[in-house]
Amino acid sequence: MNILTSKVEASRANEVDATNIQFGKSYSDHMLVADYIDGVWQTPQIIPYGNISISPATTFIHYGQSIFEGVKAYKNIHGEVAIFRPKDNNKRFNISAERLAMPHVPEEIFVGGMKELVALDSDWVPNQDGCSLYIRPFMFAIDEFIGVKPAEKFRFMIITSPAGQYYNKPTKIYVQDKYVRAFPGGIGFTKAAGNYAACMLPMLEVKALGYDQNLWTDGIEHKYIHEIGTMNVFFVLGDKVVTPDLSGGTILAGVTRDSVIKLLKEKGITVEERPITIDEIREYYYKGELKEAFGTGTAAVIAPIAELYYDGQTLELPPVDEWQISNWVAKHIADIRYGKVEDTHHWMMKVK
Ligand SMILES: *Cc1c(COP(=O)(O)O)cnc(C)c1O
């Protein structure tokens, strides 16, 4: 794939304070831009990071044809930079694109462009333990037209931002039984911008009550568990690991979720993907069998849950340092990423 590259005159990489990285506050020297016009992807360009200029009539601002992904690159203990499972993010991006009547982004642009961008800005990948370069691919409709119709022109971009060690303070979770994130037939399985817009008010409301995040439930009975904010959810019930299945089209198919399931199964732990109700979780809790509960996602990787609030009751989880399963899987994923154990699944894609 031909990519036109115009480099910055002087890198800003040395301006980042490696001991105090604030997520999402600084962006690396370059970004990738590719436009889709008349049914054809134009030659991608890697250019200095900076503002873009668009018409106020640009369709995505008004009607929200806008999707994104979240990926991370790591510097391993041998000093090599590698991206975690980018092809899986490309596949999911194209699933989101289809549902929002947007074009697929081919692998040579999505993955190939990402590799070139990260290779060029490899000085921006922090090398301390637990740190990474967060990669944000996204696409939005750029027709200059305010009638409501599927757009014809689109822009795909990738920006990157250094991410520090994520301190996973066990979270307090509110089981949401008023608002709905996703409904069968809707766009819950996509990383569409609008899904997050709809969650902002419920997020503010539960924060005001002292909780960190919502645990979303189904929109019909508010009984079946879906997922947390931007994370999939797992429960350790007795000696089994249980997570909601993806068949309803209301849950985002996390790459971290898939990685956790594969690693646990490989270790001989029973993992069930099936519908789970909040009542079942409560029953296990009162039997003393709710052992661990955690969210999974690219940003936090494994986020332990300290307590679940539901309908006037608080279910408190045991202390996190006693958790066998999630602590093992969190460490194992980190060891794969930093090259400390063999990457038997070929999840790490080296950039050079
Ligand atoms: C991104 C996201 C996840 C986690 O997906 P990963 O691929 O593991 O990062 C889960 N749920 C929602 C709603 C998300 O947006």
Side-chain angles (χ1 to χ4, degrees), residues 319-338:
V320 174
D321 52 10
E322 293 171 11
W323 297 12
Q324 301 283 317
I325 290 177
S326 47
N327 288 332
W328 175 80
V329 82
K331 179 167 187 309
H332 199 69
I333 290 183
D335 286 350
I336 293 171
R337 287 170 169 169
Y338 295 106

Side-chain angles (χ1 to χ4, degrees), residues 68 70 89 92 181 191 196 227-232 252-257 296-299:
F68 69 96
N89 292 90
R92 185 172 71 191
R181 191 194 87 94
K191 256 178 141 67
Y196 305 85
E227 58 181 318
I228 303 170
T230 57
M231 288 186 288
N232 296 110
L252 204 279
V255 176
T256 319
R257 175 188 181 278
T296 65
T298 295

Side-chain angles (χ1 to χ4, degrees), residues 211 285-286 307-310 312-316:
Y211 295 90
Y285 176 74
Y286 287 114
E307 61 177 72
L308 288 161
Y309 174 87
Y310 174 62
Q313 291 173 346
T314 298
L315 316 185
E316 278 180 49

Side-chain angles (χ1 to χ4, degrees), residues 90-131:
N90 189 182
K91 279 188 203 135
R92 185 172 71 191
F93 192 74
N94 288 339
I95 290 171
S96 298
E98 246 172 59
R99 179 61 183 82
L100 276 96
M102 302 169 91
H104 281 195
V105 176
E107 192 174 305
E108 53 180 6
I109 297 179
F110 190 102
V111 179
M114 185 184 296
K115 272 173 78 171
E116 272 208 45
L117 180 66
V118 172
L120 181 61
D121 283 346
S122 60
D123 285 348
W124 287 80
V125 189
N127 56 11
Q128 306 93 307
D129 217 27
C131 297

